[in-house]
Amino acid sequence: MTADWLLRAPCRGLDGFTPSEDDWETAGDLKRLCGPQLPTCGPCPFRAVCIATVKPAQALFDGIAGGRLWCNGTAIAALDDVFEDELTEPKLRASCGTEAGAKDHRRHGERVCPSCAQAEREASARRKEARAKQPQQLQLDFAAT
Ligand code: SF4
Ligand SMILES: [Zn+2]
């Protein structure tokens, strides 16, 4: 069943918002194909719900949603009056094997996975090493003056 807001959206019944993959290769192709349709989103009151529904970043969406033109989930063009808070899509989680990934595990009440734990250990070792180097440099600076 089509959502009620979609039936009232300015793009209702219009083509060219989600081009078939056979029709384009590059972001430039996508801009040429979809760019002319982008102003349709201008007066649309459903931009936030459109983005929340399509989830362009998560879905690696190609096409127009919420006043933006997306290519592989990244906005490559947008109307002038789009607002950051229309991007209601939940933030993607940081990938595993990174310090940010470890933080995300904790935020979600999960155990930190081995590759995130390893990334954290390495980052903390790097910081420790950098700190250890700092006083020496200061001393050298003093000696030079
Ligand atoms: S924001 Fe654009 S694509 Fe989304 S419903 Fe409105 S007109 Fe359609
Ligand atoms: Zn992880």
Side-chain angles (χ1 to χ4, degrees):
M1 207 180 86
T2 312
D4 181 54
W5 62 270
L6 258 181
L7 297 174
R8 293 184 282 131
C11 62
R12 185 188 170 202
L14 297 182
D15 289 331
F17 282 69
T18 47
S20 135
E21 280 193 11
D22 303 333
D23 291 342
W24 66 278
E25 268 179 36
T26 65
D29 297 339
L30 211 51
K31 277 188 185 170
R32 262 192 310 280
L33 270 173
C34 298
Q37 280 76 260
L38 195 52
T40 309
C41 301
C44 181
F46 308 117
R47 296 205 298 225
V49 64
C50 180
I51 289 172
T53 307
V54 175
K55 295 189 176 59
Q58 280 179 42
L60 302 179
F61 177 71
D62 304 309
I64 293 177
R68 284 102 169 144
L69 172 58
W70 305 83
C71 179
N72 203 25
T74 302
I76 56 168
L79 292 172
D80 288 339
D81 67 338
V82 291
F83 299 106
E84 198 63 17
D85 62 7
E86 289 168 349
L87 298 171
T88 48
E89 180 177 10
K91 259 185 124 180
L92 284 181
R93 288 189 56 157
S95 44
C96 276
T98 63
E99 263 195 299
K103 275 198 197 114
D104 266 356
H105 282 306
R106 290 201 185 88
R107 218 156 40 89
H108 289 88
E110 302 160 357
R111 268 182 60 189
V112 176
C113 79
S115 65
C116 287
Q118 171 78 20
E120 255 189 341
R121 275 195 298 276
E122 285 170 9
S124 126
R126 274 197 302 276
R127 277 196 290 270
K128 215 168 150 187
E129 203 178 314
R131 269 199 304 275
K133 276 185 191 156
Q134 266 172 3
Q136 270 177 353
Q137 273 165 0
L138 278 179
Q139 275 168 14
L140 283 177
D141 288 347
F142 281 129
T145 51

